[in-house]
Amino acid sequence: MVLNVSEVSQFEVDGYVSPISVLSVGEANDLRHKLEAVEARQNGALYPEQRNKSFLLFKWLNDLVRDPRILDPVTQLIGPDILLWNTIFWIKEAGAQNFVSWHQDTKYWGLSSDKVVTAWLALSPASVEAGCMKVMSGTHRGEVLSHEDRYHADNMLTRGQEIIDDLDEAKAVFMPLEVGEMSIHNYRLAHASGPNGSTDRRIGISMHFMPPDTQQIVGNWDCAMLVRGSDQYGHFEATPIPACDFDPPAVAFHKKAAKAINEVLYAGAAVNDGKL
Ligand SMILES: O=C(O)CCC(=O)C(=O)O
């Protein structure tokens, strides 16, 4: 067992567990180089639509999400049957002002389950200075809080959604991660992150796992990839597995998946500026 009894109970009570060692520094650097090689070919950045459902575009990422070092702790928290709903790149350039406002993902993902978890893996140092994630312990056990759309160019969230209820910033718990480490949090937990004041890029990959009884209750169609166990429900269309990076059938599927997730994330918003 990767997580000990007190870590599992901390996850239940506080809504998160961190840090968990996953990759060696060499393995994480190797993935970072793969990502940066793509960025270099595209004038230095991923295209916005490549941030979400990116396990359909990059074979190395499709392999990563089935790594037992990631799935074993996830199994301990949500059970033996696991679907991957999404993966998102969270890249803050050195010295960049980008931030993530306080929010709960339950509010925007259209998923019916309370058991959805986010595993966030660091491919570069995610220190407090670099703008690592911070959480409000225990908020996953309360109501979904009121949010407001505050579209802001530096906010990495689609619609700049932000919790408007009073949160005591002094109670925020930082989750710093070394290269190759990950945190796991319940998607109802209030979380945020600040700008990157370090001299390196802050590169994270979030992986969103759920039990197969979960349903998409906002969008008309959605997809997911079975990464462990079995899916007895079939609520999500099974995604193709890319044979290589930018495998044409998986790229075509990704286009449909990215459009569907855009519609879910912006449901009810005044403006859909296409930011993903
Ligand atoms: O990377 C960040 O700073 C925020 C990530 C986040 O909001 C998430 O993984 O749900």
Side-chain angles (χ1 to χ4, degrees):
M1 292 292 165
V2 181
L3 303 177
N4 62 36
V5 174
S6 73
E7 286 170 319
V8 172
S9 83
Q10 190 213 329
F11 181 82
E12 297 302 328
V13 174
D14 297 334
Y16 67 93
V17 55
S18 179
I20 303 167
S21 285
V22 174
L23 303 179
S24 68
V25 173
E27 287 173 309
N29 284 340
D30 186 41
L31 299 186
R32 175 176 178 166
H33 292 147
K34 287 187 161 86
L35 169 66
E36 290 184 335
V38 175
E39 291 177 313
R41 286 199 300 274
Q42 299 183 170
N43 292 326
L46 292 180
Y47 303 133
E49 65 276 14
Q50 293 173 333
R51 282 188 66 222
N52 275 268
K53 299 267 186 188
S54 25
F55 62 97
L56 287 162
L57 301 177
F58 304 111
K59 177 167 165 36
W60 58 267
L61 183 53
N62 204 285
D63 292 340
L64 178 71
V65 296
R66 274 178 274 102
D67 190 311
R69 291 170 291 180
I70 292 173
L71 292 183
D72 288 350
V74 172
T75 301
Q76 284 182 268
L77 301 175
I78 71 169
D81 299 322
I82 305 176
L83 289 175
L84 174 81
W85 178 62
N86 196 8
T87 52
I88 310 176
F89 288 107
W90 298 94
I91 301 173
K92 294 178 189 169
E93 300 300 334
Q97 289 306 306
N98 299 106
F99 68 97
V100 171
S101 47
W102 284 105
H103 68 288
Q104 292 166 297
D105 290 313
T106 354
K107 182 90 180 170
Y108 298 94
W109 291 356
L111 301 175
S112 62
S113 176
D114 280 341
K115 282 186 138 188
V116 183
V117 297
T118 291
W120 197 104
L121 176 72
L123 294 191
S124 69
S127 58
V128 172
E129 186 192 17
C132 67
M133 252 195 297
K134 51 188 176 179
V135 296
M136 282 291 169
S137 189
T139 44
H140 66 302
R141 286 184 281 111
E143 291 302 302
V144 178
L145 300 166
S146 303
H147 289 65
E148 192 174 88
D149 294 344
R150 295 181 175 160
Y151 300 88
H152 188 292
D154 290 331
N155 194 333
M156 300 178 84
L157 299 180
T158 43
R159 47 210 269 185
Q161 59 266 37
E162 185 161 4
I163 293 172
I164 53 173
D165 302 65
D166 273 345
L167 288 179
D168 183 358
E169 187 74 42
K171 291 194 175 146
V173 180
F174 288 86
M175 298 198 295
L177 297 172
E178 308 267 359
V179 175
E181 288 181 339
M182 81 176 175
S183 57
I184 304 181
H185 69 266
N186 180 293
Y187 82 140
R188 188 190 279 254
L189 190 71
H191 58 289
S193 69
N196 179 3
S198 81
T199 52
D200 194 2
R201 315 176 78 198
R202 194 217 66 165
I203 305 173
I205 303 172
S206 63
M207 297 160 267
H208 308 284
F209 297 105
M210 58 192 183
D213 61 350
T214 308
Q215 296 185 55
Q216 172 54 256
I217 51 178
V218 169
N220 296 325
W221 175 88
D222 206 343
C223 58
M225 183 168 77
L226 184 67
V227 289
R228 183 169 274 188
S230 61
D231 175 3
Q232 322 232 317
Y233 298 87
H235 293 318
F236 291 79
E237 183 167 338
T239 60
I241 297 181
C244 57
D245 287 357
F246 299 113
D247 192 16
V251 170
F253 196 95
H254 175 264
K255 202 167 176 188
K256 183 178 175 189
K259 183 169 179 292
I261 206 162
N262 172 283
E263 283 167 14
V264 168
L265 294 177
Y266 280 97
V271 179
N272 180 341
D273 53 11
K275 185 169 162 184
L276 265 176

